[in-house]
Amino acid sequence: MVNLKKFTKSFYYAGRGLAHLLETEQNFRLEVIGIIVVTILLFFYEVSWIKIIFISFIFLIILLIEIINTIFERITDFLTEVNHLSCADEAQTSHKNVCHDEREILRNIKDLGASAVLVIGVMSSLITLAIFFKI
């Protein structure tokens, strides 16, 4: 049997997460605004429904990758802070190289997440332009 209270709470938590994204993540807000603008333009340009569905799927992927990137950023920020605390006295220990390597790994994780958002952003822009201009 479905627990209705748990089910409705899951929507509450998801909504709270989306609200937090909109409040704290500028890129997410800009992507949502861009999606709204492009969606309006799709109807003015009389794009076929199949193309609208395709672009909508691309929008979904963009937002999902941005959410996943934000998750990676938050985790790496937390780990960087923990790493900073554990490496605060690295000058007095022999762990200096280990701490530096860990910071570099965390930085690379954030950079890779940002790269994923960049790749989907560029590709989705090119696909959307091709649809608008019937290339």
Side-chain angles (χ1 to χ4, degrees):
M1 188 75 190
V2 174
N3 183 332
L4 191 57
K5 187 174 181 179
K6 274 185 160 181
F7 184 70
T8 55
K9 273 190 171 185
S10 66
F11 281 100
Y12 169 76
Y13 296 139
R16 191 172 66 180
L18 284 173
H20 180 73
L21 274 169
L22 289 167
E23 289 173 15
T24 61
E25 294 298 318
Q26 175 181 315
N27 288 345
F28 190 79
R29 286 191 304 270
L30 291 173
E31 288 160 355
V32 169
I33 291 167
I35 287 170
I36 292 168
V37 168
V38 171
T39 301
I40 292 168
L41 290 174
L42 286 173
F43 292 101
F44 283 116
Y45 276 81
E46 297 180 13
V47 176
S48 71
W49 281 103
I50 192 72
K51 290 178 182 175
I52 290 173
I53 291 168
F54 180 71
I55 291 175
S56 297
F57 184 70
I58 292 172
F59 292 161
L60 173 67
I61 293 170
I62 291 169
L63 295 178
L64 286 175
I65 290 177
E66 185 64 48
I67 291 168
I68 292 168
N69 181 51
T70 301
I71 292 167
F72 280 132
E73 286 179 351
R74 301 288 167 87
I75 291 170
T76 54
D77 288 346
F78 172 76
L79 292 174
T80 301
E81 183 62 28
V82 169
N83 180 274
H84 176 71
L85 294 174
S86 67
C87 294
D89 60 346
E90 71 183 26
Q92 300 168 0
T93 67
S94 61
H95 295 66
K96 187 173 185 176
N97 288 336
V98 172
C99 291
H100 175 73
D101 292 344
E102 289 173 359
R103 283 190 214 119
E104 188 173 333
I105 290 168
L106 293 171
R107 186 190 75 231
N108 288 338
I109 291 169
K110 288 181 83 166
D111 291 348
L112 289 169
S115 297
V117 174
L118 176 65
V119 167
I120 190 64
V122 169
M123 290 308 297
S124 64
S125 296
L126 293 174
I127 291 168
T128 303
L129 287 171
I131 289 173
F132 276 134
F133 295 112
K134 297 178 175 136
I135 297 174

